[in-house]
């Protein structure tokens, strides 16, 4: 990084002003490199929520929130969703280029070679209650994968990093499907390597040893699209967590488990589940007829009701993933003959109200990808509490690509933010008898 532009920070408390380099990326806002601020001035910057902070340098994913643009390695998400499948997208995110047919065949071969989990893994599931939230199960089981691969956990060895990436991409569908089967009290289904990545996952979810499952191609493609659209999203909360965990030298399985835990929250990946729960609640209270009352609650400053599946920290125009997911949503509803289903009618009515209402329009609150992906998954018969697991399955490649990029960076340091301390100043302990 070289800087032709400099930023000068001056202070009104007598601290001498200081000059800092300003770097230009290939796209996006310039950044002021304040790494030497503390050394030069004894001051920190203050940016809780990272509203103005670039936490790293990256070459993987670019978002322009005002334009509603999302690029993986420079390729628009619309073109990837149209022309590529999920495993090609994984190859792109990990390697920087799209594969040619031979590279794709080799990559698919490597992933399918690792789809089974160690048989011991089945015992972990038995330790959970059947009604455990599948995200709780997933956090535990992905973290537990660290215990199985002692031979390839040297994070400084590129081959070890690569094999861990492949293992994670290959085993996530198996683990997610196992979490579902366990909750349903059904036997686990072993992966079938002659099926597509999405087709195999659907079969592991919905097949049983007594009745095999042949995926409907429309649903198989819809799931593949969900996976592509969720594969990476720059430095969001879960990805930043993976990077922070990884910065201490933790192994990749532990780091991805930390990412899964972060994704679970309703302000992040948990939004698709929260959105369906919200739709269900409105439905129980009277459905479309009660929509006006619900919207009034959302707009009321004294209530904490939010329209789940709407709004985004970065996209302030529209979420390009939502546009593609909306298309898929209508394809799936048409294929399954569900356009007249009351829940889906309600979702479409809610979308219409929110897109026209001044409150949402003026705050640029558009439906995000999770609004439509929740509806698609529900239509496909995926239980609501599995939605975030599927998001985690899709995002695993993004997390591991970002983790690999960080570990390969020679300038990488442990992430260690500082704070503005506003607690007690030094004081003496009073012995307990005198307190
Ligand atoms: N419903 C109602 N009002 C909202 C919503 C919403 N979903 N989102 C934001 N607002 C209002 C907010 O109250 C504020 O109003 P005012 O200016 O009057 O105080 C204004 O819009 C700006 O909101 P903000 O809280 O400053 O926005 P943020 O960038 O901090 O939050 C968000 C982004 C995604 C956390 C938030 O929009 C939200 O909670 N949405 C619902 C949850 C959701 O769908 N999350 C999934 C995000 S996409 C998947 C992913 O990438 O993880």
């Amino acid at each position: 990084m070289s800087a032709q532009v400099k930023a000068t920070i001056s202070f009104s408390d007598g601290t001498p002003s200081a000059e800092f380099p300003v770097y230009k990326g290939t796209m996006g806002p310039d950044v002021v490199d304040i790494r030497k601020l503390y050394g030069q001035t004894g001051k920190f910057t203050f940016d809780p929520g990272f509203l103005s902070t670039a936490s790293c340098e990256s070459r993987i994913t670019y978002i322009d929130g005002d334009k509603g643009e999302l690029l993986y390695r420079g390729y628009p998400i619309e073109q990837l969703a149209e022309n590529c499948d999920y495993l090609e997208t994984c190859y792109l995110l990990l390697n920087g280029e799209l594969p040619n047919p031979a590279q794709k065949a080799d990559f698919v071969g490597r992933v399918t070679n690792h789809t089974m989990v160690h048989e011991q893994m089945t015992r972990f599931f038995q330790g959970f209650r059947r009604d455990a939230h599948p995200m709780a199960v997933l956090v535990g089981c992905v973290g537990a994968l660290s215990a199985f691969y002692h031979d390839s956990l040297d994070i400084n060895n590129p081959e070890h990093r690569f094999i861990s990436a492949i293992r994670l991409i290959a085993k996530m569908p198996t683990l997610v499907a196992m979490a579902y089967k366990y909750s349903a009290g059904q036997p686990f289904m072993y992966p079938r390597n002659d099926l597509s990545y999405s087709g195999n996952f659907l079969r592991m979810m919905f097949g049983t040893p007594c009745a095999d499952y042949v995926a409907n191609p429309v649903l198989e493609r819809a799931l593949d699209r969900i996976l592509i659209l969720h594969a990476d999203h720059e430095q969001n909360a879960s990805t930043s967590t993976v990077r922070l965990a990884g910065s201490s030298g933790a192994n990749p399985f532990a780091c991805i488990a930390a990412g899964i835990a972060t994704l679970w929250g309703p302000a992040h990946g948990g939004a698709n589940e929260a959105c369906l729960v919200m739709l269900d609640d409105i439905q129980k209270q009277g459905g479309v007829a009660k929509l006006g009352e619900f919207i009034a609650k959302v707009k009321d400053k004294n209530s904490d009701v939010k329209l789940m599946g709407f709004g985004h920290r970065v996209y302030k125009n529209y979420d390009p993933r939502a546009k593609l997911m909306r298309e898929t949503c209508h394809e799936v509803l048409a294929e399954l003959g569900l356009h007249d289903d009351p829940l889906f009618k309600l979702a479409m009515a809610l979308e219409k109200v929110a897109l026209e209402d001044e409150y949402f329009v003026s705050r640029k609150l558009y439906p995000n990808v999770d609004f439509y992906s929740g509806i698609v998954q529900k239509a496909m018969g995926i239980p609501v509490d599995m939605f975030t697991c599927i998001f985690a399955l899709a995002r695993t490649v993004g997390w591991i690509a970002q983790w690999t990029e960080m570990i390969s960076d020679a300038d990488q340091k442990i992430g260690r933010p500082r704070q503005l301390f506003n607690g007690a100043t030094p004081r003496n302990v009073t012995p307990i008898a005198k307190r």
Side-chain angles (χ1 to χ4, degrees), residues 193-212:
N193 289 350
D194 58 327
L195 300 177
S196 74
Y197 191 84
S198 300
N200 171 50
F201 175 68
L202 287 172
R203 182 183 164 276
M204 287 191 293
M205 286 284 290
F206 298 122
T208 66
C210 35
D212 207 357

Side-chain angles (χ1 to χ4, degrees), residues 354-374:
L355 287 175
E356 288 167 1
D357 190 297
E358 196 278 333
Y359 175 95
F360 300 99
V361 175
S362 66
R363 287 171 179 76
K364 302 188 170 174
L365 298 171
Y366 298 90
N368 57 49
V369 65
D370 286 335
F371 178 70
Y372 298 108
S373 74

